[in-house]
Amino acid sequence: MTSQKIKAIVRGIAKATLLMAVALVVTVWILLSRKVVQVSLGEGRECSWQLNQWYSGRCILSCYEHGIRKGFVRTAKGLVEWPIAAFPGLLPNTVIVIHELDNTIAVFTIDLTNSDPKAVPPPASLSTTVLFSNFKVRACTQAEVGYAKEYISQVPSLCQSTFPLNDCNANPEALKRGLLRAVDMGTIPNEQRTGDFHYDAQPQIPPEN
């Protein structure tokens, strides 16, 4: 076999490998872009959270009233940073979010009562998670933390509320346990945890009293 044939074979293999890599990236991008959480707030109000907005690659929660977008919230997204779940809050026009970071968990509330097109700055303790918001973002209250746990425990299917990368119907009880643990990790400081309930992850924003 001549050196030219060998080079041609190598080039062919390289091109095929490149095409496969591109196809894999496109496939993953499409799969991530299909991950959407729907939060219905009643009376024509709803929010749609895209883990990976296909044209921007950003993690965006858009909120609508009778089909008109009233504003959005953009949060951090990385290899270990994205929302775990979002569901209707305890108070009207609020959404509770569980957001996972590398070594912290953020559990916070988005208040959709009023919006500002120029943005509403998040609390300093959430500035690395909430990158932009048209709405007020704040710590959950203790009552909202209790509500979040009750909601997770009682809702039969949480598929509409979560961003699992696998089939959330496969083991719903394990999913609930994981979400409840995430709420605790995001609201109970390490020094207050008892027994074997001890994790490295810390609350990014402790709940309000």
Side-chain angles (χ1 to χ4, degrees):
M1 184 178 293
T2 65
S3 60
Q4 289 183 341
K5 288 184 178 180
I6 293 174
K7 289 180 180 180
I9 292 172
V10 171
R11 284 196 296 268
I13 293 173
K15 288 181 180 179
T17 302
L18 178 61
L19 288 173
M20 290 176 62
V22 170
L24 179 61
V25 169
V26 170
T27 300
V28 171
W29 187 264
I30 292 173
L31 289 174
L32 287 176
S33 299
R34 293 177 61 188
K35 301 293 182 182
V36 177
V37 161
Q38 301 287 354
V39 182
S40 176
L41 301 174
E43 299 182 354
R45 299 184 182 92
E46 64 178 3
C47 295
S48 176
W49 202 322
Q50 294 175 272
L51 183 62
N52 185 71
Q53 194 178 51
W54 70 268
Y55 57 86
S56 70
R58 293 174 173 174
C59 191
I60 300 287
L61 178 141
S62 300
C63 293
Y64 302 85
E65 188 171 342
H66 301 294
I68 300 173
R69 190 164 88 158
K70 309 302 289 186
F72 70 93
V73 180
R74 184 170 74 246
T75 62
K77 185 191 69 173
L79 292 177
V80 289
E81 295 181 325
W82 56 68
I84 300 175
F87 39 82
L90 173 63
L91 301 175
N93 296 324
T94 60
V95 176
I96 292 178
V97 176
I98 309 171
H99 202 291
E100 184 173 8
L101 299 130
D102 53 355
N103 59 0
T104 61
I105 300 288
V107 181
F108 58 91
T109 296
I110 302 172
D111 189 336
L112 308 174
T113 305
N114 298 301
S115 64
D116 186 334
K118 295 181 180 180
V120 180
S125 55
L126 274 175
S127 60
T128 58
T129 297
V130 179
L131 307 180
F132 176 90
S133 178
N134 291 125
F135 309 102
K136 180 181 178 180
V137 179
R138 58 171 175 77
C140 289
T141 63
Q142 291 289 354
E144 286 171 327
V145 173
Y147 163 82
K149 293 181 180 181
E150 184 177 358
Y151 183 94
I152 292 168
S153 299
Q154 293 186 359
V155 172
S157 174
L158 292 168
C159 287
Q160 292 282 355
S161 302
T162 61
F163 279 110
L165 297 180
N166 53 8
D167 184 4
C168 61
N169 283 314
N171 194 338
E173 292 306 313
L175 175 62
K176 288 185 178 185
R177 288 194 299 271
L179 290 174
L180 291 171
R181 175 173 290 187
V183 172
D184 284 340
M185 290 171 69
T187 57
I188 302 176
N190 233 10
E191 60 272 14
Q192 296 179 18
R193 298 171 185 172
T194 59
D196 59 355
F197 180 60
H198 189 279
Y199 305 98
D200 292 332
Q202 286 287 334
Q204 187 182 18
I205 179 168
E208 297 175 345
N209 294 323

